[in-house]
Amino acid sequence: SLLLLCAAVPAEPHAMWLTLGEKHIVVRFSENPTTTTRPGFDIGLANRTVASVAVKPATLSERLAFTMGTEGGGFHDLSAPVPPSLHDPVAVAMVNGQGLKGMFYEFPDTLIQFWFSAPLARVRSDWDYIDRHSVNRLLVSLRSGAACSTSPSSAPDVVVVRFDGKSIPGNVSVSLYDCSGASVGSVFAVDGIAKLDVPTATLAYARISHIEPSAGKIDPVTGGTYHKIMHVATTTMRTHCYASPSASTVAELV
């Protein structure tokens, strides 16, 4: 088990964060998972952001119809009505999407691509369905890994990090946040996997980034030429400990 580092983490670039509410699915372009901060969405970025939802047993995903809204700070977010199938308290689903930022002056020679997801899993086998309906190139997920009897306050979780469907080799820093959006530190995923403890029945967020080398290509947003892609991915997960009394293995979760 890897140690969860609770020291302060450095400031990170913006990301797209997805929240599943009772009535709306909200996507924020922000430094914080729960509050839209500067700059929020503009019309161009909103038009380049798409998301879909697949709810078991459906074999196809349904595209979400976003509209732009304004939060308390005056910055824009995106929201879509929650599909009726997600109102089922035991729904198994995968909500995921992407947004293309393009090149940005703070990251020269780099195209910035955002990914976001919010899987709903109730038992370990649900991840088979969720993984089949994930369309994001860069994916981070929090997967419960133990029975509820392990602890009244926490259950071991596995962080899974993948790019193009494969575990990312080496060390990847995963930033972690509690349900309020406050940072709770970071952990390193080694060869795509890390173990940690997070509060059960708490909405948690995670964020990663990954640099992909690229041959010189033209950014469709700015017209500039880039030679690498910065992928930034987040996930939103309400963790669950499972009813099985036997401890799970990492292999069962990934």
Side-chain angles (χ1 to χ4, degrees):
S1 178
L2 296 180
L3 177 65
L4 179 63
L5 304 177
C6 294
V9 294
E12 296 176 323
H14 283 62
M16 289 187 180
W17 310 88
L18 192 153
T19 300
L20 299 181
E22 291 185 5
K23 295 182 179 180
H24 293 93
I25 296 172
V26 178
V27 180
R28 295 178 174 89
F29 178 52
S30 175
E31 296 174 337
N32 185 280
T34 60
T35 304
T36 298
T37 60
R38 187 185 300 274
F41 279 94
D42 58 27
I43 293 296
L45 184 57
N47 288 338
R48 297 190 300 273
T49 301
V50 297
S52 61
V53 55
V55 183
K56 192 176 181 179
T59 57
L60 298 177
S61 297
E62 173 187 353
R63 183 162 175 170
L64 298 175
F66 285 127
T67 58
M68 187 179 291
T70 303
E71 292 200 323
F75 306 113
H76 298 298
D77 60 18
L78 301 179
S79 66
V82 172
S85 53
L86 280 184
H87 290 302
D88 185 343
V90 295
V92 175
M94 179 53 154
V95 186
N96 52 191
Q98 61 174 297
L100 176 63
K101 174 64 176 176
M103 297 179 69
F104 190 60
Y105 70 92
E106 291 187 4
F107 303 94
D109 199 33
T110 304
L111 184 81
I112 303 176
Q113 174 72 56
F114 296 107
W115 309 93
F116 50 90
S117 65
L120 292 178
R122 306 295 170 178
V123 297
R124 296 187 191 105
S125 59
D126 291 341
W127 285 101
D128 294 336
Y129 179 86
I130 291 169
D131 287 337
R132 286 198 306 271
H133 290 84
S134 173
V135 297
N136 291 357
R137 293 191 65 198
L138 182 62
L139 182 70
V140 54
S141 57
L142 305 176
R143 310 189 182 203
S144 289
C148 294
S149 58
T150 302
S151 167
S153 60
S154 64
D157 266 33
V158 172
V159 180
V160 177
V161 176
R162 292 173 176 163
F163 184 67
D164 285 343
K166 299 179 180 179
S167 296
I168 299 178
N171 294 345
V172 176
S173 179
V174 183
S175 299
L176 301 166
Y177 306 82
D178 66 16
C179 59
S180 72
S183 171
V184 293
S186 61
V187 65
F188 279 105
V190 180
D191 294 334
I193 297 174
K195 294 182 181 180
L196 69 156
D197 289 345
V198 297
T200 58
T202 298
L203 189 66
Y205 301 87
R207 177 194 181 281
I208 62 171
S209 60
H210 176 69
I211 299 295
E212 177 190 15
S214 175
K217 294 183 178 180
I218 302 299
D219 173 15
V221 180
T222 67
T225 301
Y226 64 91
H227 292 85
K228 54 186 174 181
I229 304 172
M230 177 187 292
H231 298 271
V232 181
T234 65
T235 192
T236 308
M237 184 65 188
R238 185 173 295 278
T239 60
H240 296 275
C241 47
Y242 301 125
S244 170
S246 60
S248 66
T249 64
V250 171
E252 289 177 314
L253 297 169
V254 299

